Amino acid sequence: MKPVHTLALGLALSAALLGGPARAAGASDTDAERAARWQEIAKSIFGDRKIEPTDTLVKIDAPARALDAALVPITLTMPEKDKIKAIHFVIDDNPSPYAAHISFGPAADPAELKLRVRVNNYTNVHAVAETRDGGLYEATQFVKASGGCSAPMGMSDEEAMKGMGDMRMKFAEGQPGKPVEATLMIRHPNFSGMQMNQVTRDYTPARYINKLTVTRGDQTVFTLDGDISISSNPVIGFGLNPEGKGPIKVAASDNQGGRWEHSFTVPSPSN
């Protein structure tokens, strides 16, 4: 499996050589054009592995029309969670289509995952579930949005970077024997490299979280490999196996060598 950022660069170069996104992306594309683009992306990520459609292994909940293209909420549900090893999330018409690869560990309850992404064009989004027996199964949804990857932060770069790496975590009230719902919030601008500094009129260099590892005790909850399609100040909702023990440790790193760690105590469930 190719690292997300390496794949994104390869796709961007290929698209530039072929006249790709500037030519192909947009609201007027036909279903055949979108299908052909997905086949190219899927081959770049998965090679010749077969991907089957599914209505049960993974489902996408995304707005049909985004209110804010730079903060598009995505919920992925996995009704047959015990079969799921990993999820690959792809935004077909983004400059960097391979938005995230999430691998679940034994401390995870992978029934649901929430995140916020940038969407740069009217596009299909794909969630590919990778099962423990090596199968690949896809769900697809069409999202109407425009300009999410180049949308300015609304503040200076310096302000956007203040407190970079700060983390918070919220827990829903839990019950004994039930999965624990957690929400991780990380302060980081996740600059896409396509945003223009409103003062200097220069493009801000890309700086984004490319690796996130969440553990509980000595067990992995999940790892996330990301790219520029993850929104600024990432917010990720996930589930914890109720049998897990110990504090949660989060380690995040970005493509410019930044690294941050933080630990959180999981509250005891209510009776």
Side-chain angles (χ1 to χ4, degrees):
M1 192 67 63
K2 298 180 182 179
V4 174
H5 63 280
T6 303
L7 172 64
L9 178 59
L11 288 175
L13 291 174
S14 299
L17 291 171
L18 296 173
R23 172 191 60 79
S28 62
D29 288 356
T30 65
D31 289 343
E33 288 173 323
R34 296 188 188 282
R37 190 173 313 122
W38 166 239
Q39 291 304 313
E40 292 179 2
I41 294 169
K43 186 173 181 62
S44 296
I45 301 172
F46 304 106
D48 294 327
R49 296 171 68 187
K50 185 177 181 181
I51 307 175
E52 309 239 10
T54 183
D55 292 324
T56 58
L57 288 170
V58 61
K59 299 181 180 182
I60 304 170
D61 183 9
R65 183 183 294 275
L67 296 176
D68 185 342
L71 291 168
V72 181
I74 302 291
T75 300
L76 305 175
T77 55
M78 285 65 73
E80 299 180 58
K81 62 183 182 180
D82 293 338
K83 297 181 179 180
I84 304 302
K85 174 184 176 182
I87 293 290
H88 307 260
F89 190 68
V90 178
I91 306 172
D92 294 16
D93 287 316
N94 270 15
S96 177
Y98 194 6
H101 172 218
I102 304 103
S103 295
F104 298 104
D109 181 89
E112 183 178 271
L113 186 84
K114 296 182 178 181
L115 65 163
R116 305 187 305 188
V117 299
R118 297 175 169 125
V119 177
N120 210 51
N121 235 308
Y122 284 36
T123 184
N124 282 333
V125 299
H126 285 84
V128 178
E130 184 171 358
T131 56
R132 297 189 182 279
D133 61 4
L136 297 173
Y137 301 88
E138 64 165 303
T140 310
Q141 185 168 332
F142 186 68
V143 177
K144 296 179 180 179
S146 183
C149 292
S150 58
M153 293 284 291
M155 63 186 74
S156 69
D157 293 352
E158 292 74 17
E159 289 175 310
M161 294 174 69
K162 283 182 179 178
M164 190 163 57
D166 289 350
M167 302 182 197
R168 291 188 295 150
M169 189 172 291
K170 295 193 303 185
F171 298 93
E173 185 173 343
Q175 298 179 354
K178 299 292 185 181
V180 179
E181 296 178 11
T183 302
L184 171 64
M185 295 156 279
I186 306 176
R187 178 80 174 174
H188 197 289
N190 265 20
F191 291 129
S192 68
M194 299 174 60
Q195 296 151 311
M196 181 178 287
N197 185 300
Q198 300 301 296
V199 177
T200 67
R201 310 305 291 175
D202 293 327
Y203 286 98
T204 301
R207 183 165 190 176
Y208 53 88
I209 292 174
N210 59 4
K211 186 77 172 184
L212 183 66
T213 302
V214 180
T215 56
R216 186 175 188 187
D218 59 357
Q219 292 188 322
T220 299
V221 181
F222 68 88
T223 60
L224 184 151
D225 294 285
D227 213 302
I228 65 169
S229 293
I230 303 296
S231 295
S232 61
N233 299 321
V235 177
I236 302 168
F238 60 96
L240 294 167
N241 186 328
E243 298 176 0
K245 303 292 183 183
I248 292 180
K249 180 179 177 180
V250 181
S253 58
D254 70 19
N255 66 314
Q256 291 194 21
R259 182 174 174 82
W260 305 271
E261 294 186 357
H262 199 90
S263 293
F264 301 92
T265 301
V266 181
S268 300
S270 302
N271 293 321

